[in-house]
Amino acid sequence: MNLGPYTYVTLSLRPESTPHVGVSFHTPDLKVRAGLLLSSPRPYLEFNSHEAAVHISTTGAGPVTDTDLAIAREIFTAAARYLADCEQLHAEQSATTKDATDPAA
């Protein structure tokens, strides 16, 4: 099944539990940016579509902790893996499409 672009947001509220928010971006309209808020100063990372936004910053919006550094490294590693997977699949899909449209094949 191949759906069109979408953003999916869920909110789960259970008695005596911490609320859980899930955001899934499946859209080419996703904007990603990072920067430094100079008034604090603190770094931030944000993902935005027309339907939802996710903002990530330091613990308690305060000074950078060792845990914040560890999380930033996890984000970096996950983003690098996502890029590698996308590049590999794109190359495979392009090769398959070329083979299907090549009359000499």
Side-chain angles (χ1 to χ4, degrees), residues 33-45 56-58 62 64:
R33 68 181 192 166
L36 186 65
L37 294 175
L38 297 177
S39 60
S40 302
R42 73 176 195 266
Y44 68 88
L45 174 65
I56 300 167
S57 190
T58 55
V64 178

Side-chain angles (χ1 to χ4, degrees), residues 2-22:
N2 206 0
L3 300 174
Y6 66 96
T7 298
Y8 189 75
V9 180
T10 61
L11 173 61
S12 300
L13 299 169
R14 295 192 177 124
E16 300 180 33
S17 294
T18 303
H20 181 267
V21 177

Side-chain angles (χ1 to χ4, degrees), residues 43 56-75:
I56 300 167
S57 190
T58 55
T59 303
V64 178
T65 66
D66 289 341
T67 302
D68 294 325
L69 286 174
I71 291 169
R73 288 183 187 107
E74 286 181 43
I75 292 169

